[in-house]
């Protein structure tokens, strides 16, 4: 318990080292003094509160808001001192707001508790004491061996020990983690893969050393030491051995794995931590207005207090007969009395601060966000996807966007790749009717040229079929005849791939005669020209963004060791020493000008000595626990050199529907569009021209291929000069990743000046962090424009989180972008309605609500301030306590809430068809200082009209009796205020005095002579006054 408390306070972190040691089946060493490491249990906790801490924690969070804390102070002041209004007037609205918010948050947390209990109580099977034991998920401990069956989700992060397959492999889908629906293959180390029974696993003696938990889904560094008789075998463990919690087992009967990360230390739980809170411009304006109104409140309270003491400086007003001071009050300190009176006035005027503003705005945002999901115009029928709202706090920000940063692939394009062209050994080819046809060669034969592939062409296609991570539907590879039919005719295969490029290339190769037919154990099977071939897969050099390439090392049927590599031309061509390098480079540029995505393919043959050296280096790097990534990168660079270039591929990615119209609409709305992509320069420019981001008449400026600060700075100065000289025409800027790094290093201001003077900006060859850096650079510029980032892949997450508003596209690159976004839509074209219609409506509605709340509170409380001039600043309230209480929380909140949900000042079709209307609300136009001043002055004006209008309507000769009837001057009482006037030495009847005090409170003694009746008539038993038709002729007093 003490250790837990120390961990919560941060004095005793649970992980003292960079690695953790896990004894499989919790078989701890018997010799020596061993203290087991402490690990988290397997409970998932997504809730914020418990039964014990809900009240204090929720109250603390709510009173962090300025308005709530302010009203709490006012309520406490009303309890401590004698104030003109009841504590209920402040306490009840505060209680209402706090209670409503607490109920909402409590209900949401109860749902989270309910979901947690379902997950934590799920049944699982664990190997203990030589058998399978059924237990609950929350009872799994680190080191337990867990069995998972087909189509079940993994309850913890497991290191795969064995499966029902001989090679110890299994297939999983991580759709719930990253949205990728393709099947991923995971493999066990050979020494544990053979342990397929519970009895054998129970005898396993092994230790796993791995890194401490981290959020990266694709990174795992560890090693397993297996004790077999007298020797110890060490094997590396990587991401291919780790089965993540939340993933699902597919096409595999069952697997056994050892738990390494449990509960809140699993990668899934670490990835579900809340993002940093984004605040909208409207919320910031609200806080500014609140401070201004607090200043007005303090001014009114101080002025009233000063005027009270100035009025009471005259002795006759210091202590009137109806309000005599007590002895304690006479002897109390003047400073304390001044403070007490100031606080009393503060309480009297406190309703100028709208306590219900926050709760009304929250309800408006929460309820209003449903309209986005319900909008059928944002529904994509083909994929059955509707718009999704992940946060409702930024609805009105959709109406304030000034810059849009968009990814290209999958956002502007479909991310559905189609093979178009390739270059093999310096010659261009196209696919025509399932045939690989050289450029300029027309083949009309229906038989095609499948059997006439040359050696270079066949090797190129084999490289395409072997260098990938494509999977085949297992149902197609489990038949009796294996992956192909006995007659040699290929069955139609269904490929799964995390990269659409890879899938398109493998499918294209299969159409022209070289078919990838699947993997069996550590072998990859290819059918070349109808002849099956089996290649042994020795090593996979995984793709990473820094290398921009991937490789496989295979053993051919003849026993030759081959390396096949594919990647961006910038990472392949410099490493090639032979092949048609110059011709291929020209072809790659031509493909890029057509808007095709390009990849270069190369290979290398190893001698037995070279392969032995490579295997040794790879094993050392992969078993290292420290700096494994750096060591692997060095080894990969050592292997991927002296390549022989085979050729290049060109794959087309079609533009999404109505992309050009959407970009043009954004431009008409005054929104600047920046495209940030990882594609090469020529491809990105071609797509920008085709989608309308760049116009054909636009002057394209380039800042590319700079290697030094000096050349980059000089080019920036020349660009700035050109823009000033040709200020009449529009300019577009193209920047690549390396030049951008140089520009941002020391020439940030000059770079931003050039960018802001360009109508469109295209950044190519961008790393994910560079995308976020560009967004941050513009977001923090002196103008502080509102930014929006939109993308569909994991490489766009940092950009989406950095922008004011992040939008994820439900594309084919997983769901990382959608998970980390504020809003998610199925297609880029939906962005126009999201901004021009929903953003416009949300902003107009919320701006009106905020201004109205301040306006109506000025109207409400200013008459209270004016009334003090007529009651000698005696802190008398003008309103009944019930009215004070219900005014904010009911009478004026509900009508404007309905308005804020359904108001459409312009028809949605007009807003979408005329994007220029979006400019009318840009730069927070409706919540600037001028509109705020207008609403405030309007509020004061109406307050004066209400107060003095009522005062003049009544007049001095017309008074309102306690029963609501009017008494007019005439044959009866000339003026009712004369009834409270008394001559020196005389006393009126007690009953009359009570009536008069109730009616008027007090009058000026100087008006005694104006009385139209004698004092005797006041004290008599009967007197007459002007009657209503249905009243008696006399009244007893």
């Amino acid at each position: 318990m003490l250790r837990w408390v120390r961990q919560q306070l941060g004095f005793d972190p649970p992980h003292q080292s960079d690695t953790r040691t896990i004894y499989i089946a919790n078989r701890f060493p018997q010799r020596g003094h061993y203290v087991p490491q402490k690990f988290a249990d397997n409970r998932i906790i997504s809730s914020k509160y418990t039964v014990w801490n809900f009240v204090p924690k929720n109250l603390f969070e709510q009173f962090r808001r300025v308005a709530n804390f302010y009203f709490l102070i006012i309520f406490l002041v009303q309890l401590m001192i004698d104030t003109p209004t009841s504590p209920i007037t402040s306490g009840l609205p505060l209680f209402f707001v706090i209670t409503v918010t607490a109920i909402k948050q409590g209900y949401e947390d109860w749902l989270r508790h309910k979901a947690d209990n379902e997950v934590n109580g799920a049944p699982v099977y664990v190997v203990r004491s030589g058998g399978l034991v059924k237990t609950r998920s929350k009872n799994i401990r680190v080191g337990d061996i867990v069995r998972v069956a087909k189509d079940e989700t993994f309850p913890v992060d497991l290191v795969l020990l064995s499966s029902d397959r001989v090679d110890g492999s299994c297939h999983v889908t991580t759709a719930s983690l990253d949205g990728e629906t393709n099947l991923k293959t995971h493999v066990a180390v050979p020494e544990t893969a053979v342990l397929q029974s519970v009895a054998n696993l129970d005898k396993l003696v092994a230790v796993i050393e791995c890194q401490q938990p981290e959020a990266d889904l694709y990174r795992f560094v560890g090693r397993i030491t297996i004790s077999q008789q007298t020797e110890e075998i060490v094997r590396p463990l990587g991401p291919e051995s780790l089965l993540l919690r939340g993933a699902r087992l597919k096409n595999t009967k069952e697997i056994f794995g050892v738990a390494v990360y449990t509960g809140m230390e699993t990668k899934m739980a670490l990835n579900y931590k809340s993002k940093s809170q984004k605040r909208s411009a409207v919320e910031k304006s609200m806080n500014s207005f609140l401070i201004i109104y607090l200043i007005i409140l303090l001014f009114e309270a101080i002025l009233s207090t000063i005027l009270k003491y100035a009025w009471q400086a005259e002795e006759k007003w210091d202590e009137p007969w109806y309000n005599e001071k007590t002895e304690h009050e006479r002897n109390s300190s003047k400073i304390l009395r001044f403070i007490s009176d100031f606080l009393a006035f503060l309480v009297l005027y406190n309703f100028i601060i709208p306590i219900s503003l926050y709760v009304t705005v929250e309800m408006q945002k929460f309820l209003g966000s449903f309209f986005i999901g319900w909008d059928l115009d944002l529904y994509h029928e083909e994929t059955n996807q509707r718009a999704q709202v992940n946060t409702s706090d930024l609805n009105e920000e959709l109406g304030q966007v000034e810059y849009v940063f968009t990814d290209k692939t999958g956002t502007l394009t479909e991310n559905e790749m189609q093979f178009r062209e390739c270059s093999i050994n310096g010659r261009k080819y196209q696919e025509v009717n399932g045939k690989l046809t050289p450029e300029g060669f027309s083949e009309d034969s229906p038989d095609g040229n499948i059997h006439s592939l040359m050696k270079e062409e066949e090797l190129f296609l084999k490289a395409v079929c072997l260098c990938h991570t494509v999977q085949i539907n297992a149902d197609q590879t489990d038949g009796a005849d294996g992956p192909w039919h006995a007659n040699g005719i290929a069955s139609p295969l269904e490929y799964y791939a995390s990269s659409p490029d890879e899938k398109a290339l493998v499918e294209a190769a299969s159409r022209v005669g070289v078919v990838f037919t699947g993997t069996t154990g550590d072998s990859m099977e290819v059918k070349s020209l109808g002849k099956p071939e089996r290649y042994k897969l020795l090593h996979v050099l995984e793709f990473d963004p820094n290398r921009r390439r991937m490789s496989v090392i295979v053993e051919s049927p003849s026993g030759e060791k081959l390396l096949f590599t594919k990647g961006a031309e910038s990472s392949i061509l410099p490493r090639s020493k032979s092949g048609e390098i110059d011709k291929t480079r020209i072809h790659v540029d031509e493909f890029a000008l057509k808007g095709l995505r390009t990849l270069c393919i190369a290979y290398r043959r190893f001698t037995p000595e070279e392969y032995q050296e490579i295997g040794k280096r790879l094993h050392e790097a992969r078993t290292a626990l420290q700096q494994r990534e750096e060591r692997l990168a060095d080894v990969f660079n050592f292997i991927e050199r002296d390549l022989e270039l085979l050729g290049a591929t060109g794959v087309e990615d079609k533009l999404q529907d109505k992309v050009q119209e959407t970009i043009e609409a954004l431009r008409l709305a005054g929104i600047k569009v920046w495209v940030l992509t990882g594609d090469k320069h020529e491809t990105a420019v071609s797509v920008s021209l085709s989608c309308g981001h760049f116009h054909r008449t636009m002057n394209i400026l380039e800042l590319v291929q700079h290697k030094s600060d000096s050349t980059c700075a000089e080019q920036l100065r020349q660009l700035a000069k050109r823009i000033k000289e040709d200020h009449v025409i529009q300019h577009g800027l193209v920047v690549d990743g390396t030049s951008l790094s140089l520009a941002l290093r020391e020439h940030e201001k000059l770079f931003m000046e050039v960018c802001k003077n360009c109508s469109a900006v295209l950044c190519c060859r961008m790393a994910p962090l560079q995308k976020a850096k560009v967004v941050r650079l513009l977001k923090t510029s002196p103008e502080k424009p509102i930014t929006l980032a939109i993308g569909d892949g994991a490489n766009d997450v940092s950009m989406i989180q950095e922008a004011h508003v992040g939008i994820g596209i439900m594309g084919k690159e997983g769901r990382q972008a959608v998970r980390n976004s504020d809003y998610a839509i199925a297609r880029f074209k939906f962005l126009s309605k999201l901004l021009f219609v929903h953003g416009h409506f949300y902003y107009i509605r919320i701006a009106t609500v905020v201004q109205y709340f301040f306006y109506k509170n000025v109207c409400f409380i200013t008459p209270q301030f004016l009334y003090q001039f007529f009651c000698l600043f005696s802190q008398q309230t003008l309103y009944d306590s019930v009215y004070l209480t219900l005014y904010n929380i009911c009478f004026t909140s509900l009508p404007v809430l309905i308005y804020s949900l359904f108001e459409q000042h312009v028809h949605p079709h007009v807003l979408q068809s005329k994007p220029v209307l979006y400019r009318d609300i840009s730069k927070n136009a409706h919540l600037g200082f001028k509109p705020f001043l207008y609403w405030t002055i309007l509020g004061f004006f109406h307050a004066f009209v209400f107060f003095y209008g009522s005062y003049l309507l009544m007049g001095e000769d017309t008074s309102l009796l306690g029963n609501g009837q009017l008494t007019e001057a005439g044959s009866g009482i000339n003026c009712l205020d004369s009834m409270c006037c008394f001559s020196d030495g005389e006393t009126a009847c007690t009953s009359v005095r009570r009536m008069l005090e109730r009616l008027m409170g007090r009058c000026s003694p100087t008006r005694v002579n104006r009385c139209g009746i004698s004092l005797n008539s006041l004290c008599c038993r009967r007197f007459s006054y002007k009657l209503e038709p249905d009243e008696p002729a006399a009244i007893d007093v």
Side-chain angles (χ1 to χ4, degrees):
M1 181 64 183
L2 180 61
R3 177 185 175 86
W4 181 86
V5 172
R6 289 177 59 82
Q7 287 182 7
Q8 300 305 308
L9 295 176
F11 298 126
D12 187 17
H15 309 307
Q16 301 291 349
S17 64
D18 295 331
T19 61
R20 57 170 53 188
T21 303
I22 301 162
Y23 292 86
I24 295 181
N26 291 306
R27 290 191 178 88
F28 302 115
Q30 302 298 320
R31 60 186 182 279
H33 180 67
Y34 174 74
V35 179
Q37 288 179 272
K38 298 292 184 182
F39 302 117
D41 59 29
N42 198 39
R43 287 180 302 159
I44 286 291
I45 303 173
S46 63
S47 56
K48 290 173 60 177
Y49 308 107
T50 65
V51 175
W52 311 109
N53 71 7
F54 175 73
V55 173
K57 190 173 182 180
N58 186 264
L59 288 178
F60 173 74
E61 290 180 352
Q62 292 206 55
F63 284 118
R64 289 168 66 183
R65 280 187 166 171
V66 176
N68 289 347
F69 184 73
Y70 163 77
F71 271 89
L72 175 65
I73 297 300
I74 293 295
F75 176 66
L76 295 176
V77 168
Q78 287 180 292
L79 290 176
M80 291 187 294
I81 68 171
D82 182 21
T83 55
T85 57
S86 167
I88 295 176
T89 58
S90 294
L92 192 60
L94 179 64
F95 176 78
F96 173 78
V97 171
I98 296 296
T99 304
V100 168
T101 308
I103 290 173
K104 172 179 171 287
Q105 294 178 351
Y107 174 71
E108 291 174 349
D109 205 61
W110 176 76
L111 293 177
R112 287 191 285 264
H113 272 284
K114 189 177 179 182
D116 289 347
N117 291 336
E118 289 180 5
V119 172
N120 295 330
V124 293
Y125 288 91
V126 179
V127 177
R128 286 178 184 165
S129 304
L132 274 179
V133 178
K134 186 177 181 180
T135 183
R136 293 174 180 267
S137 174
K138 64 182 180 181
N139 297 326
I140 298 177
R141 299 169 297 173
V142 171
D144 282 345
I145 299 176
V146 182
R147 192 205 77 168
V148 179
K150 182 179 179 180
D151 291 328
E152 291 182 351
T153 57
F154 300 113
V156 291
D157 287 353
L158 300 166
V159 166
L160 180 62
L161 294 178
S162 65
S163 70
D164 63 321
R165 301 184 180 185
V166 178
D167 60 354
S169 66
C170 71
H171 297 295
V172 304
T173 174
T174 58
S176 61
L177 294 173
D178 56 18
E180 295 181 5
T181 56
N182 60 296
L183 297 179
K184 298 179 180 178
T185 304
H186 293 256
V187 292
V189 298
E191 287 73 21
T192 63
V194 297
L195 307 176
Q196 296 180 311
S197 66
V198 173
N200 289 335
L201 284 167
D202 195 52
K203 299 174 184 176
L204 175 64
V205 179
V207 179
I208 292 177
E209 296 173 274
C210 62
Q211 62 185 144
Q212 295 292 3
E214 66 170 34
D216 191 340
L217 294 174
Y218 310 105
R219 185 174 184 271
F220 178 69
V221 178
R223 65 186 177 198
I224 182 171
T225 304
I226 305 159
S227 299
Q228 290 185 346
Q229 298 175 353
T230 57
E231 66 172 337
E232 290 186 345
I233 300 173
V234 179
R235 295 288 185 188
L237 298 174
E240 71 282 351
S241 303
L242 187 67
L243 306 173
L244 300 179
R245 177 173 191 149
R248 189 178 295 271
L249 184 65
K250 290 287 186 181
N251 297 345
T252 309
K253 184 179 179 182
E254 66 175 11
I255 63 97
F256 290 93
V258 58
V260 289
Y261 304 129
T262 51
M264 299 308 293
E265 293 182 340
T266 58
K267 290 183 180 291
M268 181 188 75
L270 294 174
N271 272 278
Y272 286 166
K273 286 186 175 178
S274 58
K275 305 185 291 291
S276 59
Q277 187 70 27
K278 294 181 180 180
R279 295 175 62 213
S280 69
V282 170
E283 187 176 345
K284 296 172 185 175
S285 298
M286 281 168 50
N287 291 337
S288 302
F289 298 161
L290 199 64
I291 293 173
I292 293 173
Y293 270 63
L294 277 171
I295 294 172
I296 294 174
L297 171 65
L298 292 173
F299 171 76
E300 289 184 348
I302 293 172
L303 179 63
S304 298
T305 308
I306 294 172
L307 289 176
K308 176 179 180 176
Y309 282 90
W311 204 298
Q312 290 182 355
E314 296 183 41
E315 187 175 347
K316 59 183 178 181
W317 297 123
D318 186 36
E319 193 174 347
W321 57 268
Y322 56 84
N323 193 18
E324 296 180 355
K325 296 179 182 178
T326 63
E327 194 64 31
H328 174 72
E329 288 175 333
R330 292 192 184 97
N331 298 328
S332 61
S333 168
K334 290 185 178 181
I335 296 177
L336 291 178
R337 274 189 291 164
F338 185 90
I339 294 173
S340 177
D341 284 327
F342 168 74
L343 293 176
F345 280 117
L346 208 62
V347 169
L348 193 64
Y349 304 147
N350 80 85
F351 281 94
I352 198 173
I353 305 297
I355 185 174
S356 55
L357 173 62
Y358 283 109
V359 72
T360 305
V361 167
E362 273 194 6
M363 292 174 66
Q364 191 274 342
K365 288 182 176 182
F366 174 71
L367 296 175
S369 64
F370 287 100
F371 291 106
I372 293 178
W374 292 339
D375 191 344
L376 293 179
D377 289 338
L378 301 182
Y379 170 73
H380 192 244
E381 192 172 358
E382 293 178 16
T383 56
N384 191 28
Q385 292 172 329
R386 60 188 179 92
Q388 179 179 320
V389 179
N390 295 330
T391 176
S392 60
D393 292 336
L394 303 171
N395 292 343
E396 65 279 4
E397 206 81 331
L398 293 170
Q400 296 295 296
V401 175
E402 298 173 58
Y403 283 84
V404 167
F405 298 90
T406 175
D407 178 40
K408 181 184 75 67
T409 305
T411 304
L412 300 178
T413 61
E414 289 283 3
N415 204 11
E416 288 183 359
M417 309 301 177
Q418 293 182 349
F419 176 80
R420 291 299 181 207
E421 296 183 70
C422 65
S423 171
I424 303 175
N425 198 31
R427 190 175 184 184
K428 288 206 299 186
Y429 292 79
Q430 292 179 332
E431 183 189 357
V432 180
N433 298 325
K435 299 174 291 183
L436 202 62
T437 306
E439 187 180 46
F441 179 79
S442 176
E443 179 67 57
D444 297 327
S445 170
D447 298 330
N449 59 350
I450 189 170
H451 297 294
S452 60
L453 291 175
M454 292 186 292
K455 181 180 179 182
E456 296 86 356
E457 298 170 348
E458 186 177 357
L459 183 60
F460 175 86
L461 294 173
K462 284 182 180 179
V464 169
C465 286
L466 294 171
C467 186
H468 58 73
T469 57
V470 175
Q471 299 293 327
I472 296 178
N473 190 340
D475 296 336
Q476 296 179 290
T477 60
D478 292 339
D481 294 329
W484 52 79
H485 295 304
N487 59 8
I489 300 175
S491 60
L493 296 172
E494 186 178 0
Y495 295 109
Y496 295 93
S498 56
S499 168
D501 299 74
E502 287 189 337
K503 182 181 177 184
L505 291 174
V506 173
E507 287 175 341
S510 68
R511 290 195 297 269
V512 297
V514 181
V515 184
F516 169 64
T517 54
T519 58
T520 303
D522 58 355
S523 297
M524 301 182 73
E525 294 160 349
V526 175
K527 189 168 62 169
S528 177
L529 305 177
K531 177 184 176 183
E533 296 181 5
R534 194 180 296 264
Y535 289 80
K536 185 176 182 181
L537 182 63
L538 302 174
H539 297 285
V540 177
L541 280 57
E542 297 84 1
F543 174 87
D544 68 67
N546 295 323
R547 286 168 44 243
R548 299 182 65 81
R549 59 184 180 271
M550 75 156 290
S551 303
V552 293
I553 301 176
V554 297
E555 182 179 331
S556 69
S558 62
E560 194 174 19
K561 306 293 192 301
L562 300 172
L563 168 78
F564 290 110
T565 301
K566 72 176 179 184
E569 86 288 346
S570 59
S571 65
I572 298 295
L573 296 182
R575 295 179 168 272
S576 301
K577 69 172 185 178
S578 60
E580 297 290 344
I581 299 175
D582 294 333
K583 289 184 179 180
T584 303
R585 181 180 282 110
I586 294 172
H587 290 164
V588 167
D589 291 340
E590 291 176 357
F591 294 163
L593 288 173
K594 295 177 182 179
L596 303 181
R597 293 165 61 88
T598 59
L599 286 174
C600 288
I601 297 175
Y603 84 111
R604 177 185 175 186
R605 288 184 170 88
F606 293 121
T607 64
E609 294 78 15
E610 287 176 333
Y611 178 74
Q612 187 175 2
E613 173 68 15
I614 287 169
K616 180 182 177 181
R617 290 195 178 199
L618 277 173
H619 179 74
E620 290 176 354
R622 283 178 167 156
T623 54
L625 283 181
Q626 304 295 332
Q627 297 181 326
R628 178 180 292 186
E629 285 83 2
E630 292 81 356
R631 295 187 184 187
L632 281 174
D634 292 339
V635 176
F636 289 171
N637 287 328
F638 173 76
I639 296 171
E640 297 166 331
R641 59 188 176 90
D642 300 333
L643 302 174
E644 184 174 340
L645 185 64
L646 291 172
T649 61
V651 177
E652 182 184 26
D653 189 4
K654 288 186 176 180
L655 283 176
Q656 287 187 16
D657 187 31
K658 294 186 178 179
V659 166
Q660 188 167 356
E661 293 89 334
T662 304
I663 291 179
E664 183 60 29
L666 292 172
R667 186 176 286 115
L668 289 174
I671 299 173
K672 289 189 176 182
V673 181
W674 289 30
V675 175
L676 313 180
T677 178
D679 273 350
K680 69 191 301 292
H681 172 209
E682 292 82 2
T683 304
V685 171
S686 175
V687 173
S688 285
L689 287 168
S690 63
C691 73
H693 180 234
F694 284 165
H695 287 301
R696 298 288 176 182
T697 58
M698 190 178 284
N699 182 23
I700 307 298
L701 309 176
E702 292 189 350
L703 183 68
V704 294
Q705 297 180 350
H706 288 284
K707 304 297 183 183
S708 65
D709 281 337
S710 57
T711 59
C712 182
E714 180 60 30
Q715 179 69 8
L716 278 172
R717 282 188 284 269
Q718 290 181 8
L719 293 178
K721 184 179 179 181
R722 285 184 60 185
I723 291 173
K724 288 181 181 179
E725 292 174 351
D726 303 330
H727 61 278
V728 178
I729 62 174
Q730 289 185 328
H731 299 276
L733 178 66
V734 182
V735 191
D736 64 5
T738 54
S739 302
L740 181 71
S741 298
L742 294 172
L744 297 183
R745 190 180 301 168
E746 294 183 5
H747 315 290
E748 185 177 296
K749 188 175 180 181
L750 183 59
F751 175 71
M752 286 305 302
E753 181 185 345
V754 171
C755 288
K756 287 179 180 178
N757 289 320
C758 291
S759 302
V761 178
L762 169 65
C763 301
C764 54
R765 289 299 191 210
M766 297 281 286
L769 289 179
Q770 280 184 311
K771 292 184 178 183
K773 195 169 183 180
V774 169
V775 176
R776 188 185 312 118
L777 179 68
L778 207 68
K779 189 173 80 169
T780 56
S781 62
E783 295 83 5
K784 299 200 179 324
I786 303 299
T787 58
L788 180 147
I790 179 169
D792 73 318
N795 59 332
D796 302 316
V797 169
S798 55
M799 172 178 74
I800 286 172
Q801 290 181 333
E802 183 63 44
H804 291 97
V805 182
I807 296 183
I809 296 288
M810 302 170 189
K812 297 179 176 61
E813 290 191 15
R815 289 293 185 272
Q816 300 99 316
V818 172
R819 278 206 344 258
N820 290 277
S821 65
D822 304 307
Y823 303 89
I825 52 179
R827 288 294 181 268
F828 183 81
K829 65 180 180 180
F830 295 150
L831 184 63
S832 60
K833 182 163 190 186
L834 191 65
L835 297 185
F836 302 155
V837 178
H838 290 284
H840 197 114
F841 281 154
Y842 284 135
Y843 178 75
I844 291 293
R845 291 166 180 171
I846 204 74
T848 306
V849 167
V850 171
Q851 300 281 30
Y852 172 78
F853 260 87
F854 286 104
Y855 155 80
K856 59 126 174 141
N857 278 35
V858 166
C859 283
F860 181 59
I861 217 64
T862 302
Q864 180 75 74
F865 172 69
L866 297 175
Y867 181 58
Q868 298 306 303
F869 288 88
F870 292 82
C871 66
L872 297 185
F873 296 93
S874 58
Q875 298 151 5
Q876 292 300 307
T877 178
L878 186 62
Y879 306 110
D880 187 84
S881 295
V882 175
Y883 189 70
L884 279 171
T885 303
L886 296 181
Y887 179 80
N888 269 321
I889 65 176
C890 183
F891 296 156
T892 55
S893 294
L894 296 181
V896 77
L897 176 62
I898 301 300
Y899 168 92
S900 68
L901 291 175
F902 301 107
E903 166 64 10
Q904 294 186 359
H905 64 295
V906 181
H907 194 278
H909 177 71
V910 176
L911 288 176
Q912 194 163 6
S913 61
K914 296 183 178 179
V916 71
L917 293 175
Y918 193 82
R919 295 172 181 256
D920 296 341
I921 61 169
S922 62
K923 300 186 183 297
N924 206 12
H926 287 234
L927 279 177
F929 181 73
K930 287 185 178 179
F932 169 71
L933 189 62
Y934 166 77
W935 280 85
T936 302
I937 293 175
L938 188 67
F940 279 114
F941 171 72
H942 286 171
F944 275 79
V945 170
F946 298 154
F947 183 81
Y948 285 106
S950 302
Y951 178 77
L952 296 174
L953 181 66
M954 298 302 178
E956 290 200 355
D957 292 331
T958 304
S959 301
L960 192 65
L961 292 174
N963 63 2
Q965 293 178 335
L966 289 174
T967 299
E968 299 179 4
S971 59
I973 301 175
N974 290 331
C975 63
L976 195 61
D977 61 355
S978 63
M979 297 176 68
C980 65
C981 306
F982 306 100
S983 301
D984 294 337
E986 292 181 297
T987 304
C989 299
T990 306
S991 59
V992 176
R993 176 184 290 180
R994 283 200 301 269
M995 180 184 71
L996 298 174
E997 289 178 356
R998 184 168 68 252
L999 292 174
M1000 295 300 297
R1002 75 185 69 162
C1003 290
S1004 171
T1006 60
R1007 304 172 69 177
V1008 171
N1009 296 328
R1010 294 176 54 207
C1011 295
I1013 57 174
S1014 66
L1015 194 61
N1016 292 330
S1017 66
L1018 287 175
C1019 298
C1020 62
R1021 296 294 300 172
R1022 299 172 67 86
F1023 69 90
S1024 299
Y1025 69 106
K1026 190 173 181 179
L1027 304 174
E1028 294 292 330
D1030 56 344
E1031 286 189 328
I1035 182 171
D1036 290 333
V1037 293

